[in-house]
Amino acid sequence: DKTIVMLDVISGGELEKLCGHSSTIRTIAISPDGRFMASGDEHGCIKIWDWQQRQEIDLINLNLPVRTLAFSLNSKTLVGGG
């Protein structure tokens, strides 16, 4: 799917949806400090989101499918792989 869905872990109810990817999302990572979320898709697009505001703040195009993302412990570096 091209949508990020946030769910309540207790009830399972949908809290919010984030849209913006043009292809299937393959991975999501949340920074350890809780400030950022990154999502990667099949076409190589990585979106960086402000986790508190739920807004896209940056776009990185790797031109290869993104299958994994991880933030460093200090939340200043994001690594991705295909």
Side-chain angles (χ1 to χ4, degrees), residues 65-77:
V66 180
R67 303 245 193 265
T68 186
L69 292 169
F71 281 94
S72 63
L73 292 177
N74 67 5
S75 301
K76 293 183 179 182
T77 304

Side-chain angles (χ1 to χ4, degrees), residues 1-79:
D1 196 340
K2 302 172 189 174
T3 305
I4 298 166
V5 179
M6 288 176 269
L7 304 171
D8 182 288
V9 295
I10 303 300
S11 71
E14 184 179 298
L15 298 173
E16 194 168 352
K17 286 185 179 182
L18 298 176
C19 302
H21 279 275
S22 61
S23 67
T24 303
I25 298 168
R26 295 294 182 195
T27 185
I28 296 171
I30 298 174
S31 64
D33 65 6
R35 293 180 54 211
F36 305 106
M37 178 179 67
S39 54
D41 71 25
E42 189 65 28
H43 289 156
C45 176
I46 297 174
K47 292 185 180 278
I48 309 296
W49 305 81
D50 178 309
W51 181 240
Q52 305 301 318
Q53 300 296 316
R54 309 294 201 256
Q55 294 179 359
E56 180 184 333
I57 57 173
D58 202 359
L59 171 67
I60 302 163
N61 195 340
L62 294 183
N63 294 317
L64 60 104
V66 180
R67 303 245 193 265
T68 186
L69 292 169
F71 281 94
S72 63
L73 292 177
N74 67 5
S75 301
K76 293 183 179 182
T77 304
L78 177 69
V79 294

